[in-house]
Amino acid sequence: MFGGDTLYELRVSLQKAELEKEGGFAPHISPFTDVADLGDLLSRAGYTMLTIDTDELVITYPAMKELMYDLKGMGENNCAWNRKPMLHRETMKLASTIYKDMYGSEKGVPATFQIIYFIGWKPDKSQPKPAERGSGQFSLKDINRLDQLVKSVNEIKDDTSKKAENVTDKNDSTSSEKS
């Protein structure tokens, strides 16, 4: 889903233009959620082990008009009930100029989309339980010696399997002598 920093360039440009032309401003872009609010919402819904990540994707458009056309095609125009029914032509022209002056380059104007990825789990009795504290074979403070520890464990396993083979061989020879 889109995050709260999505389309900040467009929002700032529209707000500045409306303040100058109309003496106030109204939201023309649907509100987006904040990462912290999303985490709180998932927690209250009973989800645990939340993982939330964000990416920013910047797309360059020739001008503000093309961006707004794409937003309408995506269904991302403002859906609020109390929105202003229209945006005046002069305000739009000024907003486009402000957008280009503040954020534009020779390639066009950028549009930033903050994308939020999230996952959470609800507890279930079939879900594996974490191991008890202190039940690990290695301490995390020994992580820098990981290669050495793995080698030691493999040597112990080899010695154990050799001893098991010797016991099996002795049992086989003892049983063949009895026959």
Side-chain angles (χ1 to χ4, degrees):
M1 75 177 352
F2 290 133
D5 291 338
T6 297
L7 300 172
Y8 71 88
E9 304 97 341
L10 179 61
R11 282 185 281 172
V12 168
S13 301
L14 287 170
Q15 288 172 1
K16 285 177 106 39
E18 270 193 304
L19 279 171
E20 189 173 318
K21 287 289 184 184
E22 301 173 30
F25 68 89
H28 291 283
I29 299 171
S30 293
F32 297 111
T33 188
D34 189 52
V35 174
D37 294 338
L38 180 62
D40 292 343
L41 180 66
L42 290 169
S43 292
R44 286 190 315 197
Y47 288 92
T48 59
M49 297 190 314
L50 300 176
T51 301
I52 302 175
D53 194 15
T54 63
D55 275 335
E56 280 194 359
L57 181 65
V58 179
I59 300 172
T60 303
Y61 285 89
M64 188 178 90
K65 183 179 177 182
E66 287 81 4
L67 167 60
M68 293 184 77
Y69 181 78
D70 269 4
L71 291 174
K72 187 173 184 175
M74 293 166 48
E76 289 297 333
N77 45 339
N78 194 348
C79 64
W81 284 98
N82 60 351
R83 72 179 187 268
K84 226 170 129 179
M86 64 178 210
L87 194 55
H88 298 283
R89 182 174 292 135
E90 292 304 313
T91 304
M92 285 281 290
K93 286 180 184 177
L94 181 58
S96 185
T97 303
I98 291 171
Y99 200 143
K100 188 171 177 113
D101 290 346
M102 287 182 69
Y103 304 105
S105 67
E106 61 278 348
K107 295 178 182 177
V109 293
T112 302
F113 293 87
Q114 181 188 37
I115 302 168
I116 303 175
Y117 306 95
F118 56 95
I119 187 171
W121 299 93
K122 280 202 172 190
D124 187 68
K125 52 188 165 198
S126 68
Q127 184 176 350
K129 304 293 182 238
E132 289 198 26
R133 187 173 176 88
S135 64
Q137 295 179 2
F138 303 107
S139 173
L140 286 178
K141 67 182 178 181
D142 296 329
I143 197 79
N144 62 334
R145 301 183 316 123
L146 189 61
D147 291 339
Q148 183 182 6
L149 293 170
V150 169
K151 185 178 176 183
S152 298
V153 168
N154 287 338
E155 288 173 0
I156 292 170
K157 286 182 181 178
D158 289 344
D159 289 345
T160 306
S161 63
K162 286 178 185 175
K163 287 179 184 177
E165 286 175 12
N166 289 339
V167 170
T168 306
D169 290 343
K170 285 181 184 178
N171 287 341
D172 288 344
S173 63
T174 308
S175 62
S176 61
E177 288 175 7
K178 289 181 183 179
S179 313

